[in-house]
Amino acid sequence: MTAGASAAPASPRRRWHDRLRASLGRRLLFGGPRLPPLFYDPGYTFALPTSPLDPLRGEKVLTALDLMGLLRPGRVTAPPPASLGDLLRVHDREYLESLGDSRPFEHAFGTVLTGSQRERALSVQRAMTGGTVAAARRALADGGIAVNLGGGFHHGRRDRGQGFCLFNDVAVAVAALRRSDFDGRVLVVDLDLHDGDGTRALFATDPAVHTYSLHNRHWDDSTAVGATAIELGGGVGDETYLAALRETLPPVFAAHRPQLVFYLAGCDPAADDRLGDWRITPQGMLARDRLVVELSHGGEAGSSLPLVVLTAGGYGEQAWRYTARFLVWLASGGRRTPELPPDDEVLIARYRALARVLSPAELSGEPAAETDDWGLSDEDLAPALQGGTADSRFLGYYTAHGVELVLEVMGIFDRLRDLSYEHPHIELDLSRP
């Protein structure tokens, strides 16, 4: 976390992800639907061994949007990580310096992490916090909506992390905007399943920031100069949830008259969430998203407020679908009923997109051929089929280095590192045909 350090050379996975990002958006619908600016970095992926958080949530959202023809060049921006200066405007120096040790991570994540896991957790949350800062700047500059496919670390406190949150990205973003002479009123609409206690505590004495949190249970004292904290308990369904929102959220907008809105669009209220205890349907989830957008863009006075959307909580392999459905609805201007492609189609499309950025030379160690067809031919397979002498390449094509590149780019090595296998590598035994 040192300031002023020179940038390290890009890793192989980073270089391929840069090429992948450049290839996104080839399916254009000129004159058609338009997504808001999206902020995402491949470094957002991290899986805790003790948590069902899907590390590929953001990538699945982007892949689905690409399959539906909604991604355009320039709509996805890789933000810089939050600077040390930005973090110090919110968090105590002693706390940030303590992140070189294991104890703060145990408190935040509820488990002992290896050195590699701590580095990855720190890197991911710093990257996502930078994404929230960048999205806030963009929304404020455009007067529209900007989306960070990460962030929403609403449990982070000034002097400690908790609830899987090391930093508080909303507070960091507000502090960064204040330094850039933005002094307007801010509203934080937190619809994650869990209480936005950290954000409320950080702004407890700031009358210019109102925090609204509708959650299952209070985590802490809800007292603040400007705060609405509503506890609904467990087992909540659509009717109770939407009624509470429609009754309590519009008066907050009317009373506080915000000039900037942060929306934590957590997916963990959904009925299929792995950690949640509510029963909100996909229709109910989209209805609440629509309400927030309608209050921000088109209220009684026809207001159009800068709106920053963060993904916040969501656990299990289906969490991405709620974010994607919301974005499809946004892209259509509220005129389209979102119908997402099935999971297996999204998975296949993701692997195909990744495969397009790997060259035959990188996989086989041989110069690229004139043709784009780099599949295995009968001649490639002949030695194995005929029981001949094995060559030095797997399936007669892939070098050991090529196999490692595939596993690295696909994120499989990252998942192994997340599970404490800190230095995965490949050894090929090609001694037998």
Side-chain angles (χ1 to χ4, degrees):
M1 185 133 3
T2 57
S6 59
S11 67
R13 190 176 183 214
R14 168 68 59 178
R15 293 198 303 272
W16 286 306
H17 267 295
D18 287 344
R19 282 193 276 171
L20 175 62
R21 190 187 303 115
S23 74
L24 287 173
R26 290 176 177 172
R27 304 175 182 185
L28 306 182
L29 293 178
F30 292 108
R34 183 177 179 84
L35 280 167
L38 305 176
F39 291 84
Y40 177 77
D41 186 271
Y44 281 16
T45 58
F46 174 62
L48 282 169
T50 57
S51 167
L53 183 70
D54 182 3
L56 299 179
R57 183 176 170 189
E59 289 192 12
K60 289 177 179 177
V61 170
L62 291 177
T63 302
L65 295 176
D66 191 34
L67 273 173
M68 300 176 74
L70 296 175
L71 277 184
R72 298 166 180 254
R75 299 315 286 175
V76 183
T77 300
S83 69
L84 179 58
D86 284 342
L87 296 175
L88 281 169
R89 294 186 192 100
V90 171
H91 297 284
D92 291 341
R93 178 177 292 275
E94 292 77 9
Y95 167 62
L96 296 180
E97 290 176 348
S98 75
L99 293 176
D101 301 325
S102 61
R103 185 171 298 177
F105 292 87
E106 292 178 36
H107 188 270
F109 295 104
T111 188
V112 177
L113 302 183
T114 66
S116 175
Q117 288 172 330
R118 294 198 301 271
E119 288 179 10
R120 283 174 53 73
L122 188 64
S123 175
V124 167
Q125 297 213 7
R126 194 169 173 181
M128 289 187 178
T129 299
T132 299
V133 174
R137 293 190 188 280
R138 180 65 178 271
L140 200 58
D142 295 349
I145 302 174
V147 179
N148 181 22
L149 292 174
F153 304 128
H154 58 169
H155 299 307
R157 299 294 187 107
R158 184 176 302 280
D159 59 351
R160 67 185 186 275
Q162 59 185 17
F164 301 155
C165 304
L166 294 174
F167 311 122
N168 191 296
D169 57 314
V170 170
V172 171
V174 171
L177 295 177
R178 297 288 193 228
R179 182 174 170 81
S180 301
D181 298 325
F182 171 72
D183 59 359
R185 296 178 300 278
V186 177
L187 172 61
V188 182
V189 178
D190 191 337
L191 298 185
D192 186 287
L193 175 72
H194 304 103
D195 186 9
D197 62 308
T199 311
R200 183 170 59 248
L202 283 166
F203 292 113
T205 60
D206 187 345
V209 179
H210 190 101
T211 59
Y212 173 98
S213 179
L214 183 68
H215 46 262
N216 57 358
R217 296 170 188 85
H218 291 321
W219 275 41
D220 204 349
D221 182 11
S222 60
T223 304
V225 171
T228 302
I230 303 171
E231 179 184 77
L232 292 182
V236 172
D238 285 5
E239 184 176 356
T240 300
Y241 184 52
L242 295 175
L245 270 177
R246 290 166 179 152
E247 178 183 353
T248 61
L249 186 55
V252 171
F253 270 85
H256 189 62
R257 295 178 293 112
Q259 294 162 285
L260 174 65
V261 179
F262 287 87
Y263 174 32
L264 278 67
C267 300
D268 42 3
D272 60 359
D273 190 82
R274 291 276 301 277
L275 294 184
D277 61 356
W278 282 3
R279 303 189 303 270
I280 311 304
T281 66
Q283 294 76 21
M285 295 288 286
L286 184 59
R288 61 128 204 209
D289 297 336
R290 295 177 60 172
L291 177 62
V292 176
V293 172
E294 288 164 1
L295 290 170
S296 303
H297 291 255
E300 293 182 2
S303 61
S304 181
L305 303 172
L307 175 64
V308 184
V309 178
L310 311 173
T311 54
Y315 303 91
E317 295 184 355
Q318 297 300 305
W320 70 272
R321 301 186 71 87
Y322 300 99
T323 302
R325 191 176 289 110
F326 178 28
L327 293 179
V328 172
W329 178 82
L330 277 178
S332 71
R335 297 183 299 273
R336 180 172 176 177
T337 301
E339 294 185 8
L340 302 179
D343 286 33
D344 55 353
E345 187 175 339
V346 171
L347 181 63
I348 292 170
R350 175 179 177 268
Y351 283 123
R352 283 176 175 165
L354 290 168
R356 283 197 296 268
V357 300
L358 289 170
S359 73
E362 290 168 325
L363 299 176
S364 67
E366 294 187 353
E370 294 295 326
T371 177
D372 288 334
D373 182 11
W374 49 279
L376 297 176
S377 66
D378 292 340
E379 289 76 16
D380 292 324
L381 295 173
L385 294 175
Q386 298 170 4
T389 302
D391 64 16
S392 60
R393 293 179 296 175
F394 179 59
L395 295 178
Y397 183 82
Y398 297 94
T399 64
H401 181 63
V403 175
E404 287 191 347
L405 292 180
V406 171
L407 297 179
E408 191 71 67
V409 173
M410 297 299 180
I412 295 172
F413 272 180
D414 273 347
R415 302 293 78 75
L416 290 173
R417 282 187 281 264
D418 293 344
L419 294 171
S420 302
Y421 298 95
E422 296 196 5
H423 304 289
H425 68 282
I426 291 294
E427 293 182 4
L428 297 180
D429 181 5
L430 302 174
S431 61
R432 292 176 295 176

